[in-house]
Amino acid sequence: MSEDFTPKPVAASAVSEHVYKVFPNDLNAYNTMFGGAILATIDRLASIVAERHAGRVCVTASVDAVHFMAPARHGDTLVFSAAVNRAWGTSMEIGARVIAEDCLSCGMEKRHIVSAYLTFVALDADNKPTSVPPVVPESEGEKQRYAEADMRRQQRLAHAEAIKRHRAGV
Ligand SMILES: CC(C)(COP(=O)(O)OP(=O)(O)OC[C@H]1O[C@@H](n2cnc3c(N)ncnc32)[C@H](O)[C@@H]1OP(=O)(O)O)[C@@H](O)C(=O)NCCC(=O)NCCS
């Protein structure tokens, strides 16, 4: 558990090379990898990133977007990476990316399979949301993801407010 709110660089909590070999028991009825299995690994890795950044137990509050860009196939090697994009009060956006390396080309051919964005919330000993350290984006890519994370958050908050007003008949 951590009370240290010193801003932290993205690299301090990132997971960069989690590999997974696709076997027949991972496939769906169309003989490509079942998307839910990929999502389970993304959620698991993202929780590790969030907990490393926050120094606290963290829970998934929302999966804000999942983009399946290309199918993964039997024999592919999946390479997962995940990193904190931005932190606010008690929540953080974690971005995840999955690349497939083709087994026939011995990893020379790489395909972008999934991009996903998840929001995690840090909890204190009473399971209440608790503050997290700010993120320091360093590279150009990190700065871009830092800015875009806030756009996604503003969109999510505006959407929630619009639904609330709709249900209230306003
Ligand atoms: C996530 C959770 C802790 C939020 O609790 P809460 O009492 O609603 O929290 P608050 O309204 O005080 O908001 C706390 C933070 O969570 C964020 N949050 C709450 N609901 C959210 C949602 N649906 N999506 C994204 N962020 C959310 C808020 O924006 C706020 O972030 P900020 O402090 O950075 O501004 C609570 O809803 C929960 O426990 N959900 C279940 C989590 C879970 O079981 N996950 C699956 C297993 S890990």
Side-chain angles (χ1 to χ4, degrees), residues 43 47 58-64 87-92 119-123 127-132 153 156-157:
D43 192 25
S47 77
C58 295
V59 290
T60 318
S62 62
V63 178
D64 301 309
W88 294 276
T90 63
S91 68
M92 297 149 278
T119 300
F120 281 77
V121 174
L123 302 181
N127 288 332
K128 301 280 182 235
T130 188
S131 299
V132 297
R153 174 182 160 96
R156 175 168 49 74
L157 292 174

Side-chain angles (χ1 to χ4, degrees), residues 12-82:
S13 55
V15 170
S16 60
E17 283 271 326
H18 178 89
V19 288
Y20 183 87
K21 182 81 169 166
V22 181
F23 284 149
N25 62 320
D26 296 313
L27 304 182
N28 59 25
Y30 306 101
N31 270 332
T32 59
M33 182 151 179
F34 176 51
I38 297 178
L39 279 184
T41 300
I42 287 175
D43 192 25
R44 202 177 285 252
L45 295 179
S47 77
I48 293 168
V49 172
E51 292 186 347
R52 280 180 178 172
H53 181 78
R56 294 277 192 177
V57 168
C58 295
V59 290
T60 318
S62 62
V63 178
D64 301 309
V66 183
H67 304 284
F68 289 97
M69 341 277 279
R73 294 187 286 260
H74 176 206
D76 282 347
T77 298
L78 301 185
V79 185
F80 291 76
S81 54

